[in-house]
């Protein structure tokens, strides 16, 4: 007769308190910068499924690349105020401007 070892810890449903949207999209935090307060949320590589254009370097953020999304924390904006940034470009945005100035007619991704 074989006996299983005893569990010293109670069993828990590890996924019970897991919110799928928060896991996929990350948790937003408020960051203070010289141009105001910004809501910032990290986007993991697995959750990045579209191509975006980083306003810091004017280069594409391809699907599958971890990055972050930022929008004004004042609550007055809407979804069009969100911008997807490379993490390094976001951290360096006060030290340098965009490398290329885009025209008004150029589509933003």
């Amino acid at each position: 007769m074989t006996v299983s070892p005893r569990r010293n810890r109670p069993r828990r449903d590890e996924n019970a308190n897991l919110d799928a949207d928060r896991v996929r999209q990350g948790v937003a935090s408020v960051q203070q910068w010289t141009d105001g307060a910004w809501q910032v949320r990290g986007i993991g590589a697995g959750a990045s499924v579209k191509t975006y254009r980083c306003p810091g370097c004017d280069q594409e953020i391809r699907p599958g690349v971890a990055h972050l999304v930022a929008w004004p924390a004042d609550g007055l904006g809407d979804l069009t105020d969100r911008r997807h940034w490379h993490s390094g470009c976001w951290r360096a945005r006060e030290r340098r401007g965009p490398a290329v100035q885009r025209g008004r007619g150029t589509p933003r991704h």
Side-chain angles (χ1 to χ4, degrees):
M1 177 176 195
T2 306
V3 179
S4 299
R6 193 179 116 189
R7 288 183 65 100
N8 291 329
R9 289 179 261 146
R11 286 185 175 230
R12 293 184 199 149
D13 185 6
E14 300 199 10
N15 296 326
N17 296 326
L18 217 52
D19 181 1
D21 287 333
R22 287 183 68 171
V23 170
R24 186 172 50 256
Q25 297 176 354
V27 178
S29 64
V30 177
Q31 295 182 7
Q32 288 291 338
W33 291 79
T34 57
D35 60 348
W38 293 85
Q39 289 274 1
V40 179
R41 180 172 48 214
I43 305 294
S48 177
V49 295
K50 292 172 52 179
T51 299
Y52 299 98
R53 183 156 310 267
C54 175
C57 65
D58 202 42
Q59 300 298 311
E60 288 184 346
I61 302 171
R62 299 268 184 186
V65 174
H67 62 283
L68 58 87
V69 61
W71 64 95
D74 59 13
L76 300 176
D78 58 12
L79 291 177
T80 61
D81 293 321
R82 297 187 330 168
R83 296 289 177 260
H84 292 256
W85 293 74
H86 292 109
S87 300
C89 293
W90 175 256
R91 287 189 303 270
R93 69 192 190 97
E94 289 186 332
R95 293 191 305 268
R96 63 179 171 88
V100 176
Q101 296 293 324
R102 298 170 55 105
R104 286 187 180 169
T106 307
R108 293 192 172 257
H109 299 290

